[in-house]
Amino acid sequence: QVQLVESGGGSVQPGGSLRLSCEASGIIFYINAMGWYRQSPGSEREQVAMVSSGGAINYADSVKGRFTISRDNAKNTVSLQMNRMKPEDTAVYYCVASGVRRELGQMGYDYWGQGTQVTVSS
């Protein structure tokens, strides 16, 4: 079984910074993409940032220029540095590992973390 463990959530004032980290553990041969989604009350889960195994990065328009995603393929970790945070960034943030293969030739599966709360408020 593959597990994703997130850390780094919490509360911050507008304009402040937080860093989220996520580690995938278990028998892992390859992870296609890793990244972060978020969901606020009454809203659908939305993609925040994703990074491929080759380093290609996609950001949601709402976080471009403020958030930075990074990944360590050797350690199966992904981090999200969030700067100049806004109240609208308040949400539960979920780590995702997409296209995970436990051995060569196996079909890839997606795995999700349990989520970590991020609150931006004065």
Side-chain angles (χ1 to χ4, degrees), residues 5-119:
V5 178
E6 302 139 334
S7 61
S11 296
V12 66
Q13 292 186 340
S17 299
L18 282 176
R19 184 177 180 86
L20 303 180
S21 296
C22 173
E23 179 178 8
S25 62
I27 300 175
I28 298 172
F29 173 73
Y30 172 79
I31 302 176
N32 181 33
M34 297 187 76
W36 298 89
Y37 279 64
R38 67 187 180 186
Q39 187 170 21
S40 55
S43 299
E44 293 188 357
R45 192 173 295 190
E46 64 172 354
Q47 181 177 302
V48 177
M50 295 291 291
V51 54
S52 74
S53 59
I57 293 174
N58 283 310
Y59 291 106
D61 287 343
S62 59
V63 306
K64 283 181 180 177
R66 300 188 299 120
F67 291 9
T68 302
I69 191 170
S70 59
R71 175 177 174 177
D72 186 328
N73 289 335
K75 296 181 179 179
N76 293 325
T77 59
V78 64
S79 296
L80 185 69
Q81 178 65 42
M82 304 183 289
N83 298 327
R84 293 186 282 128
M85 297 187 72
K86 303 175 181 180
E88 50 263 44
D89 294 322
T90 296
V92 177
Y93 284 69
Y94 297 91
C95 177
V96 60
S98 174
V100 179
R101 301 178 189 175
R102 301 183 69 186
E103 58 185 44
L104 181 64
Q106 185 193 44
M107 178 180 175
Y109 295 90
D110 294 349
Y111 293 88
W112 292 83
Q114 292 188 328
T116 184
Q117 177 69 45
V118 170
T119 302

